[in-house]
Amino acid sequence: MPALPSCLLEPLWDQFAALLPVRREFAADHPLGCHRRRIADRTVFEHVVLALVHGSGYERISTPGCSDRTIRRRVKQWAELGISQQVHALALEAYDRVIGLELSEISVDGCITKAPSGGDRAGRSPVDRGKQGLKRSVASDACGVPLGIVSAGANRHDSPLLGPTLDAAKEQVGAMPDRVNVNLDRGYDSAKSRSLIAELGFTAEIARKGMPAPIQAGKRWVVERTHSWMNDYGKLRRCTERNGEVVDFYLHLAAALVTLRMLIRRAANRYRWPSRPTTRRLK
């Protein structure tokens, strides 16, 4: 059974493949004039999607035609090229062109997940008995489309990550509208966060400390739903990658899938196309 339906996998692969560098099937500069056939990028990509969805180790998803070393080596190369970030930006551009991003209301929140192997983006988790954890800070639009993502150790506070997360959103989307309201929870209730938002020219609705949370900043629930969607991917729930660039590769790849899924769901009610899915539930 495929890890993703074809209506999600094929568009994602088309954009992913267009960004890959051109490589020959055989190495032309081999001293003996021969070399093992290079594993096709599509084959490795399908194994990477399996790792992302199920969270399995590369040894478990490897096959006779694609070894775990090949997957690791290719993922590291793709992460260094920043291909998943570019695919995420392309998905946001397509969503904005077809549906339209609602950038007047932006919500930012963090999420702590497990990182048992440690690494560049890991830190002592305050909610998991001090075990290694990963913090994911996400900015979303008014409908929950993930715009910017920043990864850090689980011991990092949400407030210092607010600026980098908003900068990442601006880098992925481009120009912001004149009026932007940022919705935040009580973890951002500080003078530093308010001055940062004022410097950017935005307004803010921040939940106050010591007051009932459900009544305050009621528009930020969409980013919590986005975190729930991203936690559906096993590699994000329990990240075993130690290289920070590889961690960001999987984060942006998951964000591109979330954006693409939202695009198909909302476009299905407005447009018709030959490969339009017949079910509303896209796993």
Side-chain angles (χ1 to χ4, degrees):
M1 183 177 180
L4 292 174
S6 59
C7 61
L8 288 175
L9 184 62
E10 295 303 328
L12 182 68
W13 166 247
D14 290 341
Q15 298 298 327
F16 198 95
L19 299 171
L20 292 176
V22 179
R23 299 286 179 87
R24 296 186 178 184
E25 187 177 4
F26 294 96
D29 56 348
H30 195 275
L32 300 179
C34 61
H35 197 272
R36 289 185 299 175
R37 188 185 303 271
R38 187 174 187 271
I39 305 299
D41 289 327
R42 174 59 187 259
T43 303
V44 181
F45 178 77
E46 292 179 354
H47 285 73
V48 170
V49 171
L50 278 173
L52 172 65
V53 174
H54 300 302
S56 303
Y58 297 138
E59 295 84 357
R60 292 181 178 273
I61 63 173
S62 61
T63 59
C66 184
S67 66
D68 57 302
R69 293 185 178 182
T70 300
I71 302 173
R72 287 193 182 91
R73 183 168 56 249
R74 206 72 61 90
V75 166
K76 185 177 179 180
Q77 294 173 359
W78 294 345
E80 292 174 351
L81 295 174
I83 294 180
S84 64
Q85 289 88 335
Q86 300 177 53
V87 171
H88 181 205
L90 291 173
L92 291 173
E93 181 183 354
Y95 185 94
D96 191 26
R97 184 171 60 253
V98 177
I99 305 298
L101 291 170
E102 299 182 22
L103 300 176
S104 59
E105 296 285 345
I106 293 179
S107 301
V108 181
D109 198 8
C111 177
I112 295 178
T113 56
K114 294 180 180 294
S117 300
D120 300 341
R121 299 290 195 270
R124 287 176 57 86
S125 175
V127 296
D128 195 16
R129 296 174 293 174
K131 296 180 180 180
Q132 293 294 299
L134 170 71
K135 172 162 285 190
R136 176 180 72 240
S137 180
V138 175
S140 70
D141 76 338
C143 291
V145 179
L147 305 176
I149 306 175
V150 172
S151 60
N155 55 343
R156 292 288 302 277
H157 196 269
D158 288 342
S159 183
L161 299 178
L162 176 60
T165 304
L166 292 175
D167 292 339
K170 292 170 64 177
E171 183 179 355
Q172 291 292 94
V173 177
M176 290 286 186
D178 296 334
R179 296 183 179 180
V180 176
N181 185 58
V182 184
N183 301 279
L184 305 169
D185 64 9
R186 66 181 63 184
Y188 300 89
D189 185 16
S190 64
K192 187 175 181 180
S193 298
R194 298 180 190 278
S195 62
L196 172 63
I197 294 175
E199 290 177 2
L200 296 175
F202 300 160
T203 59
E205 292 184 21
I206 306 177
R208 294 282 185 175
K209 296 178 180 178
M211 296 179 62
I215 305 176
Q216 307 178 69
K219 299 177 183 178
R220 65 175 175 81
W221 65 271
V222 292
V223 70
E224 296 176 355
R225 182 184 62 177
T226 302
H227 279 300
S228 177
W229 286 338
M230 297 185 73
N231 284 338
D232 286 339
Y233 297 97
K235 181 64 76 172
L236 271 55
R237 290 194 306 270
R238 187 176 182 273
C239 183
T240 56
E241 302 293 340
R242 298 179 56 85
N243 190 326
E245 292 181 344
V246 176
V247 173
D248 293 338
F249 171 84
Y250 279 110
L251 288 175
H252 283 278
L253 189 62
L257 283 170
V258 170
T259 305
L260 182 59
R261 179 179 282 108
M262 294 185 66
L263 171 60
I264 294 175
R265 282 179 173 175
R266 301 193 67 183
N269 298 328
R270 307 183 185 186
Y271 306 99
R272 297 292 184 271
W273 63 93
S275 59
R276 176 174 173 264
T278 58
T279 178
R280 295 183 59 186
R281 190 174 185 181
L282 301 176
K283 291 186 177 181

